[in-house]
Amino acid sequence: MQEINVVEIRKQAKFMIIKRSYNIIFNTVFYFIKSIYSIIKLATFGLVTIITSSISFPYTIEKCKSFTLFCQGIKDSYMSHFSFLKKPLYTISKIFFKFVLQLTTYLFVLFLIVPAIVFNLSIIFLPYVIADNPSLSNIEALKLCQKLTKNRLGEIIELTLPFIGWFLLSILTLGISSFFSYHYYQCSKSLYYLKLKEVYEKEEKLKTTLINNN
């Protein structure tokens, strides 16, 4: 087997770099600009998503409330979805809170993807908690939501993962299948939240009873 002179290769590489330094400078500048452009494009897309999600958050809260009522056999008016419009301070507070939360999570995703995904799953029922507990502050609702979902990451993944196929089908059918899949997904989430809430309240009552007995 013929030996390869590694030292000579390094010298050759060094000579090529020096000789073609103008190309290297150009390529470095080009890829730097391209990278900056990609980051700006990604950030812009992310910012648009964050803004639209934040603005629609008060409506999302009312929609989640409507689905939980539906799952309990209680009818409500479609106009109740827009009841937040009568509470401007409440609406602004929820939009701002959602914006900060989304922006923090988005920046978190750029550096720590897995923890960000776990965090997002832990607050997946935040609109439901806010709808159920309007007297709680935003931070209190966030903490309560995380208490509800504590140690239930596996269940939440098991609940939501099968719907990826439904969402893909919705894309393939140009949104036609979403008439079923969207409501199927929302009802599944609402039913799970109601059960989650029931179990949590039972556990809290048991804890209170044990503390009082001691």
Side-chain angles (χ1 to χ4, degrees):
M1 183 179 66
Q2 183 182 352
E3 284 190 16
I4 298 173
N5 192 328
V6 178
V7 176
E8 189 61 36
I9 285 177
R10 285 204 299 266
K11 286 181 181 178
Q12 188 180 351
K14 192 183 293 182
F15 175 75
M16 290 176 69
I17 289 171
I18 294 168
K19 187 178 179 181
R20 301 182 181 182
S21 58
Y22 65 92
N23 278 340
I24 291 168
I25 292 169
F26 174 78
N27 287 333
T28 302
V29 171
F30 173 76
Y31 283 112
F32 175 74
I33 293 170
K34 188 179 178 183
S35 298
I36 294 296
Y37 171 72
S38 298
I39 291 168
I40 291 171
K41 190 167 69 171
L42 181 65
T44 303
F45 176 75
L47 189 60
V48 169
T49 305
I50 289 168
I51 290 171
T52 54
S53 176
S54 301
I55 291 172
S56 64
F57 189 55
Y59 175 77
T60 302
I61 293 168
E62 298 302 328
K63 179 192 67 180
C64 290
K65 181 180 179 180
S66 177
F67 269 105
T68 53
L69 291 173
F70 172 78
C71 290
Q72 295 174 88
I74 303 170
K75 290 183 179 180
D76 71 325
S77 167
Y78 183 76
M79 291 307 296
S80 66
H81 293 195
F82 301 95
S83 61
F84 63 88
L85 295 174
K86 299 175 183 177
K87 302 175 283 185
L89 291 177
Y90 168 89
T91 302
I92 292 168
S93 166
K94 298 311 172 192
I95 289 173
F96 179 73
F97 174 64
K98 181 65 172 178
F99 178 79
V100 173
L101 193 63
Q102 287 277 88
L103 184 61
T104 305
T105 306
Y106 179 73
L107 294 173
F108 201 22
V109 167
L110 295 178
F111 302 101
L112 299 165
I113 296 175
V114 174
I117 292 171
V118 171
F119 176 72
N120 268 320
L121 288 173
S122 74
I123 62 169
I124 194 171
F125 297 106
L126 182 59
Y128 295 88
V129 174
I130 293 174
D132 258 355
N133 305 274
S135 61
L136 292 181
S137 70
N138 293 325
I139 300 300
E140 287 171 338
L142 180 66
K143 288 179 179 178
L144 177 57
C145 183
Q146 289 179 308
K147 284 180 182 178
L148 285 171
T149 57
K150 188 178 180 181
N151 300 323
R152 295 188 180 274
L153 181 62
E155 289 180 359
I156 294 170
I157 292 173
E158 187 180 352
L159 174 76
T160 56
L161 196 61
F163 287 99
I164 291 175
W166 282 103
F167 296 145
L168 291 174
L169 181 63
S170 179
I171 294 170
L172 292 172
T173 59
L174 302 177
I176 294 172
S177 67
S178 64
F179 287 105
F180 172 77
S181 59
Y182 170 76
H183 293 87
Y184 179 29
Y185 174 64
Q186 292 297 340
C187 283
S188 297
K189 277 177 65 182
S190 299
L191 286 169
Y192 180 80
Y193 167 74
L194 289 170
K195 190 64 181 176
L196 200 63
K197 179 183 164 187
E198 180 188 336
V199 171
Y200 176 77
E201 287 175 350
K202 282 181 180 178
E203 289 175 350
E204 287 300 301
K205 282 182 182 178
L206 182 60
K207 284 179 186 177
T208 304
T209 304
L210 290 172
I211 290 169
N212 291 336
N213 288 340
N214 291 333

